[in-house]
Amino acid sequence: MIFWTNLLDKLESVWNFLKQYITITVDKDKLKEDGLELIKKKTGISLKKKNPDKTKAENYTQDEISDDKQTISDNISNLDKRDLEVNSIDYSKYKGIQVSGNTSNPTILIVDDLDFIIKLYKSDFNSIKRDFNKDIDNDYCIKFATGPDCGFIAINEINNNDNIKFALLDITLGSVAKNSAGEFIELDGVDIAIHLLKQNPHLDFLFVSGHTMNRLNPNMNKYYKKFEDKTGLNIENYYLYKNSDRYKVIYERLYKEEIHG
């Protein structure tokens, strides 16, 4: 009888230990799932970072941006494996640029995999005309590279246009094609920016993305890191949240010489 009592006691102790361990494991999983919201609920302390300034590019002075441009590394002109992959595509067969505005004036290049973005940007330009009395269609030639081949169409345009003054680039383009070796190559907005900077290191541009600037997101951080490693520039100076009042920032960048003298 004593034997069974001792055995039951030991089993109960083991069970209590397991219950405690299971509770801790579940709590950890819940903490991971609920994240900082759970910490706030239990402690009343918010450790959550404030949302990034979604129009942060607006906060940089033109002097800061000009100084930043001077930090472009000489490495941008050196060929690496990625450059060889990008250069191995025959871009001449990728047509489809859509043109509006005054074709005799400097070019604004807009690159996005979504075709409807054209209407959104035209709405931005109408807002600039309404609020700032600046007619983009009169002052610039606007060229749109959109759709699944937008990255390749954009590079073909860059290769044949030395009058590009400003570019608005989505980051995740999903443009995929085969090179001469039969390998699949995917282009993104960072590739387009690097190609532009090779042509003109002082050209101005913005990454316009629906993704917030979150370096903890590994899917996005790889783009940020590639841009910064290749150019020596801080991507936050060239980032604009797609769902913000972006037309104000676009106006600032397009007419900075008039605004700042």
Side-chain angles (χ1 to χ4, degrees), residues 48-115:
K48 198 170 185 178
K49 292 182 179 179
K50 294 182 179 179
N51 289 332
D53 185 350
K54 295 176 181 177
T55 58
K56 191 164 186 178
E58 190 175 17
N59 297 329
Y60 289 89
T61 68
Q62 296 308 314
D63 288 340
E64 288 174 321
I65 292 169
S66 296
D67 290 342
D68 202 16
K69 285 287 188 181
Q70 299 304 317
T71 68
I72 296 177
S73 169
D74 290 338
N75 289 337
I76 198 168
S77 61
N78 295 334
L79 289 177
D80 59 17
K81 182 176 184 297
R82 180 60 178 168
D83 289 313
L84 294 173
E85 290 176 345
V86 171
N87 292 340
S88 66
I89 298 291
D90 177 12
Y91 294 100
S92 63
K93 64 182 180 180
Y94 290 96
K95 313 296 183 182
I97 281 283
Q98 299 185 55
V99 183
S100 65
N102 189 335
T103 56
S104 63
N105 282 339
T107 298
I108 300 172
L109 178 64
I110 298 175
V111 186
D112 198 294
D113 59 326
L114 300 176
D115 291 320

Side-chain angles (χ1 to χ4, degrees), residues 4-54:
W4 289 110
T5 301
N6 291 337
L7 180 60
L8 288 174
D9 287 340
K10 288 180 179 180
L11 288 174
E12 185 177 4
S13 297
V14 171
W15 173 240
N16 288 335
F17 171 79
L18 288 175
K19 282 199 302 182
Q20 184 180 25
Y21 176 78
I22 291 169
T23 301
I24 292 172
T25 302
V26 170
D27 285 346
K28 284 184 177 179
D29 289 341
K30 184 169 180 57
L31 181 61
K32 183 177 180 180
E33 178 182 353
D34 294 344
L36 299 177
E37 290 299 325
L38 182 61
I39 295 175
K40 182 178 179 181
K41 180 179 178 181
K42 288 190 172 184
T43 67
I45 300 172
S46 177
L47 300 178
K48 198 170 185 178
K49 292 182 179 179
K50 294 182 179 179
N51 289 332
D53 185 350
K54 295 176 181 177

Side-chain angles (χ1 to χ4, degrees), residues 186-205:
E186 180 177 359
L187 293 183
D188 54 62
V190 173
D191 294 319
I192 308 303
I194 290 170
H195 203 77
L196 282 163
L197 289 171
K198 285 179 180 177
Q199 300 276 29
N200 179 4
H202 297 286
L203 180 140
D204 200 9
F205 63 93

Side-chain angles (χ1 to χ4, degrees), residues 53 56-57 60 65 68 71 169-172 188-191 193-194 197 205-209 211-215 220-229 231-241 253:
D53 185 350
K56 191 164 186 178
Y60 289 89
I65 292 169
D68 202 16
T71 68
L169 311 171
D170 191 10
I171 294 181
T172 55
D188 54 62
V190 173
D191 294 319
I194 290 170
L197 289 171
F205 63 93
L206 287 171
F207 291 115
V208 186
S209 177
H211 297 278
T212 55
M213 179 62 71
N214 182 1
R215 293 181 182 272
M220 295 307 298
N221 189 56
K222 66 181 181 182
Y223 299 114
Y224 308 153
K225 187 175 187 303
K226 178 169 73 169
F227 175 76
E228 293 176 343
D229 287 349
T231 67
L233 301 176
N234 182 352
I235 197 170
E236 293 184 12
N237 289 11
Y238 304 93
Y239 170 81
L240 181 59
Y241 185 58
R253 299 295 270 260

